[in-house]
Amino acid sequence: MSHSTQPQDHPIKGILAMLLAVLMFSGMDAAMKTLTEHYSAMQITFFRAACAWPFIVVWLATTGRLQHLLQARWSLHLLRAVLGIVMLASFIHAVSLLSLADTYSIFFAAPLIITLLSVWWLKDKVNSRQWVAIVVGLAAVIYMLKPSGDGLLSLGALMALLSALCYAISAITVRVLAKSDYAGNMVFWLMTMIGIGAGLLALPDWQPLQWALWPYFLAIGITGAIGQVFITEAFRLAPPSVIAPFEYTALVWGLGFDIVLWQVWPTASMMLGAAVIMLSGLYLIWQQQRS
């Protein structure tokens, strides 16, 4: 029988956890983008889970959480694993075709989807000022991307949108699971099931490991494990509608990695849009503090 753990909201802690998770995942995304030159999206999805798995086990062992692993709602864990495989594989395919910044710009549909789902599914309350801030932020994303007919319907863009949808649904399931499952359970079983599922799906096109690329595998493991822990904590600590907009900070890191690793420089319109997004996020913090 699962242990009942009714979550209490801690918005500021949830926001800080999200900011750290976004930084870690951005570093992981940069490493995975580099690996797309050598491996399929599904094999990299397997690497993402397998490389993070040992670090997650160490975290569970050192914090005394291993004894809770079998106290789980298996149906929701399986659903999250399926969503996670589709989300990661489609995102990796997107970054293989687009820059990190462009991929993030499209992926930023996720916070709006999360907000809509949280209002409908979790009955979260979002006031009119928060709605305005979220809409303004998303409008800035569209302004940055300036999608043409070809760009909006490109395979890379569609993969990014599919990834955003899967991520949004998965984020809501974390909030539901938090009522009965421990955070460690959610992280462990997500990585375990993704590793098994993606590994099996990658077998037909499996490529031998190149040990010269071990720094990228290590980076994926460390950043992926830390990011997974903190993003799970973020959605456990605060309503999705509060913390989801802070995913926008990924754009800052994406721009940095694009410049340093691939010499892709942002346009003035992208910088302006990023500034609007950050201001929208800060306004949401202020609104949460007032309420």
Side-chain angles (χ1 to χ4, degrees):
M1 182 175 178
S2 295
H3 178 75
S4 178
T5 56
Q6 289 294 333
Q8 294 184 352
D9 289 339
H10 301 281
I12 300 302
K13 290 182 179 179
I15 289 168
L16 292 175
M18 173 60 78
L19 290 174
L20 180 57
V22 168
L23 170 58
M24 292 295 102
F25 284 138
S26 297
M28 181 189 70
D29 293 340
M32 292 194 301
K33 179 176 173 64
T34 302
L35 291 178
T36 58
E37 300 176 7
H38 308 279
Y39 304 104
S40 68
M42 194 59 69
Q43 190 170 351
I44 297 174
T45 300
F46 165 77
F47 291 151
R48 186 262 181 271
C51 292
W53 196 86
F55 297 98
I56 292 170
V57 172
V58 170
W59 169 64
L60 292 174
T62 55
T63 55
R65 306 187 190 196
L66 287 174
Q67 67 267 30
H68 303 304
L69 289 182
L70 296 180
Q71 299 174 357
R73 294 176 65 181
W74 299 109
S75 58
L76 282 179
H77 285 291
L78 183 60
L79 172 61
R80 289 191 70 218
V82 172
L83 291 168
I85 291 172
V86 177
M87 178 193 73
L88 283 168
S90 56
F91 184 87
I92 293 165
H93 195 67
V95 297
S96 72
L97 300 172
L98 305 172
S99 71
L100 277 180
D102 282 348
T103 304
Y104 287 155
S105 297
I106 301 168
F107 189 83
F108 283 158
L112 178 58
I113 299 172
I114 290 173
T115 301
L116 293 173
L117 288 175
S118 65
V119 171
W120 168 67
W121 192 347
L122 303 178
K123 311 303 180 185
D124 281 350
K125 302 298 181 182
V126 179
N127 65 41
S128 59
R129 293 182 180 89
Q130 289 173 310
W131 277 114
V132 169
I134 293 171
V135 170
V136 168
L138 289 176
V141 170
I142 296 173
Y143 170 74
M144 280 188 303
L145 190 58
K146 291 185 177 177
S148 62
D150 292 337
L152 185 62
L153 296 177
S154 69
L155 180 59
L158 290 175
M159 289 294 99
L161 285 172
L162 175 60
S163 182
L165 176 61
C166 291
Y167 173 80
I169 299 172
S170 181
I172 297 297
T173 65
V174 169
R175 191 70 174 165
V176 176
L177 272 172
K179 297 178 181 179
S180 60
D181 284 41
Y182 293 89
N185 289 25
M186 291 185 267
V187 177
F188 176 83
W189 289 116
L190 179 65
M191 289 296 99
T192 300
M193 292 179 178
I194 286 179
I196 294 172
L200 292 174
L201 292 171
L203 284 178
D205 298 316
W206 188 269
Q207 297 298 317
L209 298 183
Q210 301 180 36
W211 294 111
L213 299 174
W214 73 265
Y216 297 103
F217 299 135
L218 182 62
I220 289 173
I222 294 174
T223 57
I226 295 174
Q228 198 64 52
V229 168
F230 277 94
I231 201 167
T232 301
E233 283 294 296
F235 281 105
R236 186 182 66 84
L237 289 167
S241 56
V242 171
I243 62 174
F246 291 89
E247 300 243 29
Y248 290 142
T249 57
L251 181 63
V252 176
W253 302 111
L255 289 172
F257 286 123
D258 281 339
I259 293 170
V260 173
L261 300 179
W262 297 285
Q263 291 74 55
V264 176
W265 290 83
T267 62
S269 62
M270 180 170 285
M271 294 299 293
L272 177 60
V276 173
I277 287 172
M278 294 300 293
L279 289 173
S280 298
L282 292 173
Y283 181 75
L284 284 171
I285 294 180
W286 181 63
Q287 280 291 311
Q288 180 63 29
Q289 288 290 87
R290 290 188 63 190
S291 61

